[in-house]
Amino acid sequence: MKQLVVLSGKGGTGKTSIVGAFAALADNVALADCDVDAADLHLILDPQVALEHEFLGGLSASNDLEQCSECGRCLELCRFEAISPQFVIDQLACEGCGACADHCPVTSISLTHEIAGRWFESETRFGPLIHARLGIAQENSGKLVSQVKARAVEVCAQRGIETLLVDGPPGIGCPVIASLSGANMLLIISEPSPSGLHDLERVLQLAAHFKLPSAICVNRYDIDERMCEQIEERAVQLGATVVGRVPFDSAITRAQLAARTLPELGESATLEVLRAVYNETMRLLHKE
């Protein structure tokens, strides 16, 4: 089984649309949406949820005010100003360090795991999809990404699926690093802009650190062809392979509004380009 992780370094490059198109063009594929903070692959795949799981986040303290002796020890110890003068604990400010609970003389403070989100095992018209939704203001998104990836790999093994397509998070932080676990290759979707070039360089530096082969596709390249050329030249300098350019096409927007992928709208010049990008990416992936 081969894992292709699709990254962008930033949001809005069209990464999810391209992952959806790849899913429509592929045979025997599974998908994982690792952008758990703002997942949107489900918007074009219409998944039917088969199983739903709770995701437990970090610890949070709570105080039983009826048992509390109001000694003030917790106020002295809390470095996050999460406890009010009335000894009520602010759940958003609490970091779950446990100092208050450890030193409470009447054990009125307890620590519990919060339900920080949910993750799902679903079926789509292109194959199984493992995806998740992190709760508002919750942390540990990297841990949730690891859970999504681990289950996706298990599903591939159970069903004999040859390729796992991973829609990765933007940026280069913890969720992105978690999504790279077990990857065979990266496909980086860039855009012809100064920020696109900057973010491409950051992702390629991350790929080099983990010794992962990378390919690059410039989306909406015809918005600024000179910048597109600069991005491709820089990508080659940093060791990536250019697999193609995708033009700006309002048909992609129409597909999104219809909750469909571009291949489902029928043949078009842009689809031919995407098909060529897909074929070259798969060739490099399975070569690796």
Side-chain angles (χ1 to χ4, degrees):
M1 190 269 291
K2 297 285 188 177
Q3 292 187 34
L4 176 69
V5 179
V6 184
L7 298 176
S8 61
K10 64 184 293 295
T13 63
K15 170 176 54 65
T16 297
S17 293
I18 289 178
V19 170
F22 277 22
L25 293 170
D27 293 319
N28 197 25
V29 69
L31 300 112
D33 191 346
C34 288
D35 187 1
V36 299
D37 292 278
D40 55 9
L41 186 58
H42 65 282
L43 297 176
I44 57 175
L45 296 187
D46 188 27
Q48 304 303 304
V49 176
L51 293 172
E52 180 176 335
H53 310 272
E54 292 179 347
F55 170 66
L56 299 180
L59 294 168
S60 182
S62 59
N63 190 12
D64 183 347
L65 295 178
E66 293 184 359
Q67 187 177 344
C68 177
S69 64
E70 301 187 358
C71 67
R73 182 62 175 149
C74 56
L75 279 174
E76 296 173 8
L77 291 171
C78 184
R79 294 294 178 265
F80 306 102
E81 300 181 352
I83 305 176
S84 74
Q86 292 75 39
F87 305 101
V88 176
I89 298 175
D90 183 344
Q91 299 298 317
L92 293 179
C94 177
E95 292 290 331
C97 69
C100 57
D102 289 343
H103 292 86
C104 178
V106 295
T107 63
S108 69
I109 300 177
S110 58
L111 292 174
T112 56
H113 281 283
E114 291 185 309
I115 297 176
R118 298 180 182 278
W119 62 278
F120 311 93
E121 301 180 46
S122 300
E123 297 295 331
T124 76
R125 56 193 182 277
F126 304 125
L129 168 67
I130 311 300
H131 52 122
R133 182 175 63 245
L134 192 67
I136 297 172
Q138 295 294 336
E139 299 178 349
N140 291 315
S141 56
K143 183 178 178 182
L144 181 52
V145 168
S146 296
Q147 177 66 65
V148 168
K149 277 292 298 290
R151 181 54 187 156
V153 170
E154 289 176 354
V155 169
C156 288
Q158 291 168 358
R159 301 194 187 186
I161 293 174
E162 298 175 352
T163 305
L164 174 62
L165 294 178
V166 179
D167 188 1
I172 59 170
C174 180
V176 173
I177 293 171
S179 73
L180 299 183
S181 174
N184 297 99
M185 194 179 90
L186 307 183
L187 173 62
I188 303 166
I189 309 302
S190 187
E191 64 179 12
S193 67
S195 61
L197 175 59
H198 172 266
D199 294 320
L200 168 73
E201 290 177 335
R202 296 198 308 162
V203 176
L204 285 175
Q205 289 166 2
L206 182 67
H209 176 78
F210 288 104
K211 298 181 174 58
L212 287 171
S214 301
I216 174 179
C217 172
V218 182
N219 192 28
R220 300 187 289 266
Y221 81 92
D222 44 352
I223 292 176
D224 189 337
E225 294 192 37
R226 181 176 297 180
M227 179 58 72
C228 173
E229 292 173 359
Q230 292 181 30
I231 287 174
E232 291 176 340
E233 290 173 3
R234 185 58 177 150
V236 171
Q237 290 172 1
L238 293 174
T241 301
V242 177
V243 293
R245 303 173 173 182
V246 178
F248 177 83
D249 190 343
S250 60
I252 295 177
T253 303
R254 292 199 301 272
Q256 292 172 338
L257 292 174
R260 291 292 183 266
T261 65
L262 183 64
E264 293 175 281
L265 295 189
E267 293 296 325
S268 65
T270 300
L271 178 56
E272 283 303 307
V273 172
L274 265 175
R275 185 178 283 116
V277 170
Y278 167 78
N279 289 335
E280 179 62 12
T281 302
M282 291 298 108
R283 185 188 70 81
L284 292 173
L285 174 66
H286 289 282
K287 177 182 176 182
E288 294 295 335

